Amino acid sequence: MIDLCESMNWKEWAGYHAVSSYKVLHDSEYHAFRNSTGLLDVTPLFKYHVRGKDAAAFLSQIMVKDIRKLKVGRVSYLCWCTDEGKVVDDGTVMRRGEEEFFVTSADPCFSWFSRFLKGYLVTLEDISDQFAGLALQGPTSRDILKQICDADLDGLVFFATTKTRIEGFEVWISRTGYTGDLGYELWVDNSNALKLWDTAMAAGKNYGLRPAGLNALDVCRVEAGLILKNVDYYNALHVLIDARKSSPFEISLGWTVNLDREPFNGQVALRREIKTGSRWAIVGLDIDWPEIEALYARHHLPPEVGSLAWRMSIPLYTDDSRIRQIGYATSGTWSPILKKNIALATIETGFHEEGTKVHIEKTVEHHRFSVTATVHKPQFYDPERKRSMPGGKAI
Amino acid sequence: MRYDAIIVGGGHNGLVCAAYLAKAGRKVLVLERRHVLGGAAVSEQVFPGFTFSVASYVVSLFRPHIIRELELARHGYEIIPMDCSFLPLPDGDSLARWGDSNRSRREIQRFSRKDAEVYPEFSRIMTLMGRFIKEIIDRPAPDITSMKPKELMNLFRMGKAFKDLGPDLLQMNVKLMTMSAVDFLDLWFESDVLKAPMSVSGIIGTYQGVRSPGTAYVLLHHYMGELDGAFRSWGFSKGGTGGVSMACARAAMSYGAEIRREASVAKLKIKNGAATGVVLENGDEIDSKIVVSNLDPRKTYFELAGKEHLEDAVVKQINRYKFRGSSGKVNLALDRIPEFKCRPGDGDHIRGDIAIAPGIDYLERAYDEAKYGAFSRRPYINVVIPSLTDPTLAPPGKHVMSCFVQYAPYHLKEGAENWPAQREAFGDTVVETLAEYIPGLKDIILHRQVLSPWDIEQKFGLTEGNIFQGELSLEQLLFQRPIAGYAKYRTPVKNLWMCGSGTHPGGGIMGSGGELSAKTILRERAI
């Protein structure tokens, strides 16, 4: 990977150096995700094994979703909360067996999970350093995987997982990812990680596979409306002030919450929030391009289209007077595939309905202005192939 | 039933025009002669499993506001940018220009340190002048003979954009309008290796050489491309250039337009000097308030309307309008990735456009042969292999290679009708030429499609095989495209309009003709 990373553009990710872009310009990696396939190392994610008779019950207590209902071979995306109903982290839970689960998280959560072990017949194992993850994401990813394993990929639905062998070693495949496209994540013991990388690269040769870095991923995940911890929200355990804490409802993850069931972490607070209403909501913003063009035209400049996704806080206002602030955008990008200037934003509820017009600050030639943005659901891009099955049936 | 508008020809401009008219609530019918939509912006599976952009093969100039206004991204418009312009040389050397400007500088300085430094300055000047051109292409051409306040305003606006360039750029602009591509590049650069591939931008689709005066202007077109404002302004349409047309068609249908394929129009219905509909080849008649022709000027005036409905002066002007197709297309289906002698192996250098243009003299010699009615024995070739970036175009591991070839003059010494006899020899010449750079090429060709300008005329209905529906030379632009007095999408026949590349602002997959004609029709309340 070091040889492939021509740009020497790396960034820190959970204590590892991860490739930001292999080439100086990441565009080709982005277009690989959307038109062929990108191969991305996601090993820095935190990974846990949860096994035992009570594994499902245990996870159901710490997660906002009722994991007992998760079928074997299926994956669930969710978050977990403090007793105050504030989000600690988001991640996936994969049910590999009746009593065997695989959990991924963005932050280390071993200690947090351990606090709730008491009374459960369960073992929690931090396997972050023993297992590697490779994301194979893009329209040709299924064809590539078919070259290297005999798992029933045509039968593997969106958010399902299965065990297979590649080059003789064991690999868990999950039809998951962070690009909002057709794609898979491969989980493998560290000792076989490099072999898996090489095998995938070789198999992908005829399918437009290229290694892709986090810059390209960042554009994709904003298009897909997938939020990112420490960018679009913060871990409630790590912040200094309450204002930085968010409930699942406030970060567009309300749909992951199963409220009416046996007690779970945050249940009481979340029930209360349902009654009283949430203060914030994460929404998508479609930022008006002609208005931006007009601002640049004042300076006789063509509008600047940054090819990188941005991550900073940009104020949102009710109107152009910029007196009443109603929220802030947290990340955004020019979407090459949608031809739109889009962002993810935290906004006061009441302004979060789709179609609401708000104003977002825009700096052009060192001067601050504002332009109109239209509230959209966070997910801008959702191709049919993400969920579709080769036979035509979709879930 | 009577339509508000019938569009004759489902090329991308016809479809854009249909979309705008339908969006404005008009009842629109598009009639396409062929079984596929797109005109010259078309994707076809010429061989099983291999999809080619049969004619037009790259996209850059499509106007961003059209994409926005017609929501084309939602309808499948998708462009994958090209990162490299690659020039293999016969001596085993090569030059690759990249999206990464520092990488380009290092490449260029192997041939000239001075040129490497000047290269970004040149881009800067061209970008500044591109702004002026943008002012021109995004509006109907002003009518310089009219004293109507609106026309004077248009002229004034154009004049202001011209003046806003400032004295230096203004001077440069005059040079650009009058000089040859090579002379103009000589003002900046010294290296033949750099100038040759740059100069060809000035001659694409014309029957002129890189040293012919007036060719400099077309260079500018390469700096107007706006793919998301990226430097690499040229790209591949997903699924071939037909993808652009299909997105336009889907947009048009979403607004309620009706599209019929394999519906060949024989003639216009003309009553009291005004168009009232069309007659199809099968004898069916369809009525409409107006007819908009996506065909080229000669086909529109002579075949659709008929000379008998035109004044002699107009007939003369259309007769003089220059087509003179000068290029052909060779599409190859390949068994594997072609390997260049100078940079063997797979790599990003073959994922952009590849130019066979090893020197200015080479290019001028290619033109010399064409001048006297023969195809170039060593032609300029622009090669792209889009299946490397868009795997949907070919079976895994196999590839489609598109070769734009110039010169292949429509008017052969032996007559245009001699092209079928020379077609395969022309194809052989192209393959022989490429094989000098790609030694193994002949062994990996699975299928070959050769399109001479004569074939282009037959297949796409482009007179004399001109890919722009008429040469993009200065005297045929702006208020003179296609002819003076009828440059605003109108024709001398009442209720007959035009929307194709033969109207202002001209060729390339821009969509402008379609957009501006529709907007003019609506503004003038023609329907």
Side-chain angles (χ1 to χ4, degrees):
Chain A
M1 209 188 293
I2 291 174
D3 289 343
L4 290 169
C5 185
E6 285 174 19
S7 69
M8 299 301 285
N9 191 357
W10 303 77
K11 79 179 189 193
E12 195 276 339
W13 178 13
Y16 292 90
H17 283 96
V19 175
S20 294
S21 71
Y22 287 85
K23 304 274 169 181
V24 172
L25 303 166
H26 73 266
D27 309 41
S28 55
E29 297 162 33
Y30 164 81
H31 286 282
F33 279 140
R34 292 292 183 231
N35 290 294
S36 47
T37 290
L39 185 63
L40 177 87
D41 182 7
V42 295
T43 302
L45 282 170
F46 294 88
K47 301 169 277 293
Y48 305 96
H49 258 159
V50 182
R51 280 177 289 197
K53 203 165 139 289
D54 294 339
F58 165 70
L59 287 169
S60 295
Q61 189 207 317
I62 56 177
M63 304 295 179
V64 297
K65 201 176 264 183
D66 191 348
I67 295 303
R68 285 166 303 192
K69 291 185 176 159
L70 185 68
K71 289 185 191 137
V72 174
R74 292 299 174 102
V75 186
S76 184
Y77 170 67
L78 39 63
C79 59
W80 44 99
C81 291
T82 61
D83 272 350
E84 304 169 277
K86 301 298 181 189
V87 177
V88 174
D89 200 350
D90 64 314
T92 52
V93 174
M94 309 187 189
R95 189 162 200 169
R96 291 180 169 178
E98 205 49 54
E99 297 178 358
E100 186 188 349
F101 293 86
F102 175 74
V103 179
T104 64
S105 69
D107 265 339
C109 287
F110 183 76
S111 155
W112 175 253
F113 292 161
S114 301
R115 288 182 211 186
F116 309 101
L117 281 170
K118 208 174 161 195
Y120 290 107
L121 277 172
V122 68
T123 55
L124 169 69
E125 194 187 349
D126 185 347
I127 53 165
S128 302
D129 295 335
Q130 283 98 59
F131 278 81
L134 274 187
L136 193 67
Q137 302 276 308
T140 59
S141 55
R142 184 188 287 129
D143 298 329
I144 295 170
L145 264 188
K146 280 183 182 172
Q147 310 298 312
I148 55 176
C149 72
D150 11 312
D152 175 23
L153 294 167
D154 289 345
L156 193 72
V157 298
F158 187 49
F159 269 75
T161 183
T162 187
K163 188 165 71 173
T164 189
R165 298 191 86 79
I166 293 177
E167 296 282 306
F169 54 82
E170 185 180 286
V171 178
W172 275 90
I173 298 174
S174 57
R175 188 167 165 189
T176 50
Y178 203 51
T179 58
D181 217 307
L182 173 64
Y184 301 85
E185 286 170 314
L186 313 177
W187 309 98
V188 65
D189 189 275
N190 274 354
S191 58
N192 295 317
L194 293 180
K195 245 186 285 177
L196 179 62
W197 172 279
D198 291 339
T199 308
M201 284 292 282
K205 204 167 175 287
N206 290 338
Y207 295 89
L209 176 72
R210 65 193 307 157
L214 295 172
N215 287 351
L217 181 73
D218 213 15
V219 176
C220 292
R221 70 106 192 161
V222 174
E223 289 177 334
L226 300 169
I227 56 168
L228 183 58
K229 185 190 62 73
N230 280 356
V231 174
D232 304 305
Y233 81 95
Y234 295 97
N235 179 335
L237 303 176
H238 295 171
V239 298
L240 294 174
I241 53 171
D242 281 352
R244 287 202 158 195
K245 297 177 180 174
S246 311
S247 77
F249 305 115
E250 291 176 321
I251 59 170
S252 73
L253 295 185
W255 63 275
T256 66
V257 181
N258 297 144
L259 210 49
D260 295 319
R261 55 185 176 96
E262 283 167 41
F264 66 93
N265 292 359
Q267 188 184 36
V268 175
L270 292 175
R271 267 203 183 122
R272 196 182 317 123
E273 189 172 322
I274 285 279
K275 271 194 203 126
T276 56
S278 308
R279 180 156 179 228
W280 300 100
I282 282 188
V283 295
L285 292 177
D286 179 353
I287 305 167
D288 192 278
W289 191 249
E291 284 186 32
I292 291 175
E293 267 183 335
L295 290 178
Y296 278 96
R298 288 188 195 185
H299 298 277
H300 298 286
L301 284 172
E304 260 170 49
V305 183
S307 71
L308 287 172
W310 48 265
R311 299 171 172 189
M312 57 182 134
S313 177
I314 299 182
L316 301 178
Y317 300 95
T318 51
D319 55 49
D320 195 32
S321 68
R322 280 175 281 153
I323 294 167
R324 162 113 159 78
Q325 189 175 345
I326 50 171
Y328 47 94
T330 45
S331 44
T333 187
W334 168 260
S335 163
I337 200 159
L338 302 164
K339 304 283 174 221
K340 278 185 177 168
N341 192 23
I342 57 173
L344 294 174
T346 297
I347 198 165
E348 285 179 23
T349 50
F351 294 96
H352 71 294
E353 297 292 341
E354 255 188 82
T356 308
K357 303 274 181 201
V358 299
H359 271 252
I360 182 167
E361 188 175 282
K362 175 76 194 166
T363 304
V364 175
E365 275 303 280
H366 325 292
H367 294 275
R368 273 188 223 166
F369 304 91
S370 83
V371 293
T372 310
T374 309
V375 173
H376 192 278
K377 59 180 181 190
Q379 184 186 39
F380 283 90
Y381 185 67
D382 187 22
E384 213 181 287
R385 61 178 177 251
K386 182 179 87 179
R387 292 164 177 279
S388 71
M389 305 299 290
K393 68 184 156 121
I395 55 154
Chain B
M1 175 161 76
R2 192 168 175 226
Y3 290 91
D4 289 320
I6 289 175
I7 317 280
V8 182
H12 82 284
N13 273 315
L15 294 165
V16 166
C17 181
Y20 273 104
L21 293 179
K23 195 181 175 195
R26 305 302 191 273
K27 203 164 169 40
V28 181
L29 172 68
V30 180
L31 297 172
E32 168 57 40
R33 175 178 58 92
R34 299 191 66 209
H35 63 288
V36 279
L37 292 172
V42 67
S43 307
E44 285 183 75
Q45 225 181 83
V46 180
F47 312 106
F50 294 86
T51 303
F52 287 92
S53 294
V54 175
S56 178
Y57 57 99
V58 282
V59 185
S60 151
L61 302 169
F62 205 93
R63 310 308 299 144
H65 64 272
I66 301 180
I67 299 170
R68 205 162 44 233
E69 288 169 4
L70 298 181
E71 303 172 278
L72 295 182
R74 194 162 69 79
H75 292 293
Y77 176 91
E78 194 180 336
I79 305 294
I80 312 167
M82 308 198 290
D83 187 51
C84 181
S85 287
F86 177 53
L87 175 85
L89 294 165
D91 62 1
D93 207 337
S94 60
L95 168 70
R97 290 175 289 149
W98 302 90
D100 170 3
S101 56
N102 287 315
R103 199 170 171 193
S104 295
R105 179 165 47 75
R106 285 195 303 273
E107 290 256 7
I108 298 168
Q109 73 186 22
R110 290 192 295 114
F111 299 96
S112 162
R113 196 162 285 277
K114 181 176 148 280
D115 286 2
E117 250 178 72
V118 173
Y119 191 67
E121 281 178 43
F122 178 79
S123 301
R124 183 184 147 266
I125 297 278
M126 296 302 263
T127 305
L128 287 170
M129 284 196 293
R131 221 166 55 202
F132 166 65
I133 298 296
K134 214 176 134 183
E135 187 71 23
I136 293 175
I137 60 172
D138 283 343
R139 294 203 166 76
D143 183 348
I144 48 164
T145 59
S146 168
M147 294 304 280
K148 284 187 199 151
K150 210 176 72 198
E151 289 301 332
L152 289 174
M153 274 304 290
N154 284 342
L155 206 57
F156 175 74
R157 196 190 292 118
M158 194 172 131
K160 188 173 175 303
F162 199 57
K163 192 180 141 274
D164 281 349
L165 285 173
D168 291 349
L169 284 177
L170 226 157
Q171 224 177 32
M172 195 56 72
N173 206 352
V174 172
K175 285 182 183 160
L176 198 65
M177 296 281 186
T178 51
M179 290 174 95
S180 76
V182 170
D183 286 345
F184 188 73
L185 290 169
D186 278 342
L187 299 175
W188 273 271
F189 306 113
E190 59 186 15
S191 165
D192 207 47
V193 171
L194 179 63
K195 281 185 287 187
M198 290 178 82
S199 69
V200 287
S201 310
I203 52 142
I204 301 261
T206 73
Y207 192 48
Q208 288 183 312
V210 288
R211 290 202 175 103
S212 310
T215 50
Y217 161 76
V218 190
L219 290 177
L220 204 49
H221 272 255
H222 272 225
Y223 289 85
M224 288 170 6
E226 290 177 74
L227 281 188
D228 308 344
F231 165 81
R232 304 143 313 255
S233 51
W234 290 83
F236 299 118
S237 166
K238 173 96 179 257
T241 49
V244 174
S245 304
M246 288 315 293
C248 298
R250 280 192 283 268
M253 288 190 286
S254 77
Y255 300 125
E258 202 183 313
I259 298 173
R260 278 190 224 165
R261 302 166 202 218
E262 295 181 299
S264 184
V265 174
K267 219 157 182 44
L268 216 54
K269 279 174 76 178
I270 297 182
K271 208 170 164 185
N272 300 329
T276 62
V278 298
V279 187
L280 300 187
E281 295 280 5
N282 65 10
D284 287 359
E285 294 188 11
I286 311 174
D287 293 334
S288 63
K289 291 180 190 162
I290 64 166
V291 175
V292 187
S293 168
N294 190 185
L295 312 182
D296 69 43
R298 193 179 295 172
K299 293 227 172 234
T300 303
Y301 278 67
F302 291 173
E303 291 179 27
L304 213 51
K307 285 183 191 172
E308 64 277 19
H309 294 286
L310 303 170
E311 287 175 21
D312 286 351
V314 170
V315 172
K316 266 187 201 151
Q317 281 199 71
I318 292 294
N319 269 330
R320 266 187 240 122
Y321 181 80
K322 284 184 296 192
F323 289 95
R324 311 192 299 185
S326 59
S327 53
K329 191 81 196 291
V330 175
N331 295 316
L332 302 174
L334 301 181
D335 195 32
R336 54 175 184 271
I337 293 177
E339 280 204 53
F340 281 81
K341 192 170 59 185
C342 57
R343 289 193 197 196
D346 188 6
D348 283 340
H349 61 292
I350 55 173
R351 280 172 169 72
D353 84 287
I354 304 158
I356 303 298
I360 303 276
D361 285 346
Y362 174 99
L363 296 168
E364 193 64 15
R365 254 196 300 276
Y367 178 49
D368 285 345
E369 289 164 315
K371 270 191 277 191
Y372 305 108
F375 60 78
S376 316
R377 279 181 302 124
R378 281 295 172 267
Y380 158 62
I381 309 176
N382 191 226
V383 181
V384 292
I385 314 167
S387 50
L388 285 166
T389 25
D390 178 1
T392 61
L393 297 174
K398 318 229 181 279
H399 292 282
V400 292
M401 187 180 202
S402 149
C403 312
F404 171 86
V405 190
Q406 194 160 331
Y407 298 84
Y410 176 82
H411 294 292
L412 284 175
K413 193 163 59 209
E414 300 84 358
E417 62 286 357
N418 199 252
W419 260 115
Q422 297 197 25
R423 184 193 297 127
E424 293 312 315
F426 169 63
D428 291 343
T429 297
V430 173
V431 172
E432 292 288 343
T433 307
L434 287 173
E436 288 173 8
Y437 304 85
I438 312 167
L441 181 67
K442 287 181 203 167
D443 302 329
I444 60 171
I445 297 176
L446 298 173
H447 304 281
R448 176 172 103 174
Q449 179 193 36
V450 182
L451 292 172
S452 71
W454 185 85
D455 298 310
I456 291 171
E457 182 178 58
Q458 299 295 313
K459 201 176 172 76
F460 301 106
L462 289 165
T463 300
E464 295 181 14
N466 186 292
I467 59 171
F468 296 136
Q469 291 197 347
E471 272 195 313
L472 285 185
S473 45
L474 274 178
E475 76 280 12
Q476 297 195 160
L477 288 179
L478 279 163
F479 35 81
Q480 313 219 86
R481 191 166 188 91
I483 54 172
Y486 295 101
K488 280 178 178 292
Y489 315 99
R490 273 185 192 283
T491 68
V493 177
K494 198 167 177 246
N495 297 336
L496 172 63
W497 297 73
M498 288 181 67
C499 69
S501 290
T503 62
H504 172 77
I509 305 180
M510 278 202 263
S512 300
E515 176 220 346
L516 295 174
S517 61
K519 286 182 176 171
T520 307
I521 288 165
L522 292 169
R523 198 170 41 241
E524 305 205 352
R525 298 180 195 284
I527 43 173

